[in-house]
Amino acid sequence: MASYQMANDINSLSLSPNFILPENHRPHLTQVSTLDSIPIIDLNDTDTINLVQKISQASEVYGFFQIINHGVPEELCNRMMTAYTQFFKLPAEEKAQYFTTDHTKQVKLFNYFLKIQGQEKVTMWSETFSHFWHPTNLLPENPPQYREVFIEYAKEIGTLMNRLLELLSHGLGLEKDCLHKKLGENPTLKAQANYYPPCPDPELTLGLAVHTDLNALTVLRQTEGVKGLQVIKDGKWVGVDPLSNAFVINLGDQIQVLSNGRYKSVHHRAVTNKTRPRLSIAMFYGPNKDTQIGPIEELIDEEHPPLYRSYHYAEFLEEFFRQEGTRRLVKEVFELHHN
Ligand code: OGA
Ligand code: NI
């Protein structure tokens, strides 16, 4: 009973039965496609029309792309990765203060799991640390540089996100501040770091189960040289292999709804490997719970009837947590069906 409440010591995991997936949920790594990869987009393109077109195309076809020449200093990203690595390496006793299964906590350390009907929960081969960008006085005091580095990092990522929202708005043929406005005042800004230790048998486990991101926009940094993230494309898994000083950008469910299905929020997962630890830092931009979300009016006409009903984000969150631990099909609940 009590074992669910206790953190695994992430630095000395053994492949106990609670990590082992049933056959039909295993990653089947030999079937991952090596023929396809997600687009790489240079943000330092002076031809704005070309840039908007590339981002728009990637958002429609993949829902994922990597960006280079994004303007966020590499040295700051490295300091952020180091601070998180040190955090995950803290003694289990010190990390225990953050460990919780209560998702309403502002700062929390937890293990994702997969709920499979008629079975015990399967724990993901990872540890996740998440908190809001603000207020910063709740952030860890250890490692000592964590707060300072995080504040600087969040500021840079915030600027980058605003630029991406402008480019995405343009891509939809809208005013550049449109998505920003539709996502509303006081957006929900969250950070989520995922730490994946080496796993003795990557065919039996997952680092992160199949999911779509529930918010609007994700900016992800991953350990250089260590693969793990995979996305679905035409029913096949495709690796998002790390690129030097790049960010992985993916669109969340709210952008799919706002764009009336034009931009995709795509299923993805993280797999484990035998030899190298992997860290990813996901920075999320989403609406606040009182914001009303629905297909943007300018994108609706006779040929493009609304595919979703509008809702308050709080309703979406409620459905999200109702489906906790499953292969989430949250936005599907808000679909409208036309004959
Ligand atoms: C996430 C996520 C992927 C990764 O945090 O939502 O999809 O590579 N992370 O860790
Ligand atoms: Ni994700």
Side-chain angles (χ1 to χ4, degrees):
M1 236 278 281
S3 67
Y4 280 127
Q5 303 301 322
M6 250 163 48
N8 298 296
D9 186 349
I10 196 75
N11 298 310
S12 58
L13 287 185
S14 68
L15 190 46
S16 54
N18 61 310
F19 291 109
I20 298 179
L21 293 157
E23 170 65 31
N24 59 337
H25 285 78
R26 290 182 189 166
H28 300 286
L29 298 168
T30 54
Q31 289 167 27
V32 173
S33 170
T34 51
L35 299 173
D36 203 352
S37 60
I38 68 165
I40 297 162
I41 298 175
D42 185 343
L43 275 201
N44 197 15
D45 191 337
T46 48
D47 183 350
T48 310
I49 294 173
N50 181 47
L51 178 58
V52 166
Q53 216 253 324
K54 278 188 183 154
I55 289 183
S56 189
Q57 174 93 2
S59 302
E60 287 179 13
V61 178
Y62 291 86
F64 266 82
F65 49 95
Q66 299 207 60
I67 54 171
I68 54 171
N69 296 320
H70 42 68
V72 182
E74 180 168 19
E75 146 291 312
L76 173 60
C77 299
N78 293 343
R79 276 191 285 138
M80 191 73 262
M81 292 294 275
T82 302
Y84 272 115
T85 304
Q86 289 172 351
F87 175 83
F88 283 110
K89 283 193 175 142
L90 290 174
E93 309 82 72
E94 186 168 351
K95 283 194 295 180
Q97 63 179 304
Y98 302 108
F99 194 81
T100 179
T101 55
D102 176 359
H103 67 70
T104 65
K105 285 274 189 309
Q106 296 252 337
V107 179
K108 56 188 187 232
L109 183 67
F110 59 98
N111 299 111
Y112 275 113
F113 57 83
L114 191 62
K115 247 180 357 201
I116 300 160
Q117 262 219 317
Q119 288 195 27
E120 295 275 323
K121 288 176 184 173
V122 179
T123 308
M124 295 297 102
W125 191 267
S126 59
E127 191 167 86
T128 296
F129 183 54
S130 112
H131 58 69
F132 294 98
W133 295 11
H134 312 285
T136 53
N137 63 331
L138 297 176
L139 305 186
E141 288 178 337
N142 243 337
Q145 80 282 20
Y146 185 99
R147 281 188 193 182
E148 195 187 312
V149 176
F150 184 82
I151 291 166
E152 208 179 323
Y153 187 70
K155 195 162 169 253
E156 289 285 342
I157 300 296
T159 304
L160 174 61
M161 282 173 161
N162 287 328
R163 177 151 184 237
L164 289 166
L165 287 176
E166 290 183 4
L167 292 163
L168 290 164
S169 299
H170 267 158
L172 291 166
L174 304 165
E175 295 287 314
K176 71 173 185 183
D177 59 353
C178 186
L179 283 172
H180 191 269
K181 276 192 182 150
K182 296 288 177 189
L183 287 163
E185 291 298 301
N186 302 316
T188 304
L189 301 171
K190 262 187 127 171
Q192 168 168 314
N194 309 290
Y195 179 72
Y196 309 95
C199 176
D201 193 342
E203 282 290 2
L204 302 180
T205 59
L206 276 171
L208 215 55
V210 182
H211 69 283
T212 62
D213 290 358
L214 86 153
N215 16 30
L217 185 65
T218 303
V219 173
L220 183 115
R221 187 85 184 179
Q222 51 178 340
T223 303
E224 224 176 296
V226 187
K227 299 177 186 184
L229 176 59
Q230 300 177 343
V231 308
I232 284 272
K233 169 79 187 342
D234 301 331
K236 277 214 162 77
W237 288 106
V238 173
V240 182
D241 296 347
L243 210 64
S244 179
N245 194 23
F247 288 105
V248 178
I249 308 300
N250 69 291
L251 307 179
D253 293 347
Q254 306 317 309
I255 296 275
Q256 177 158 338
V257 172
L258 286 166
S259 71
N260 200 28
R262 223 174 103 185
Y263 288 171
K264 302 291 188 295
S265 172
V266 170
H267 278 108
H268 54 285
R269 67 182 185 184
V271 300
T272 62
N273 81 81
K274 271 190 182 168
T275 53
R276 296 192 59 189
R278 176 169 179 268
L279 175 71
S280 69
I281 308 170
M283 299 288 271
F284 298 128
Y285 187 115
N288 78 55
K289 61 182 173 26
D290 299 320
T291 301
Q292 179 133 352
I293 299 291
I296 293 172
E297 301 90 86
E298 289 95 315
L299 303 178
I300 296 172
D301 57 34
E302 226 156 86
E303 270 163 62
H304 305 91
L307 298 181
Y308 302 93
R309 72 168 175 87
S310 58
Y311 50 81
H312 286 109
Y313 189 52
E315 265 185 272
F316 199 92
L317 287 172
E318 203 178 294
E319 181 60 29
F320 176 83
F321 286 113
R322 207 180 62 72
Q323 296 188 22
E324 185 172 20
T326 66
R327 179 177 179 130
R328 288 175 165 125
L329 297 169
V330 183
K331 60 185 173 306
E332 286 72 5
V333 169
F334 298 88
E335 277 175 0
L336 294 171
H337 298 275
H338 301 272
N339 299 314

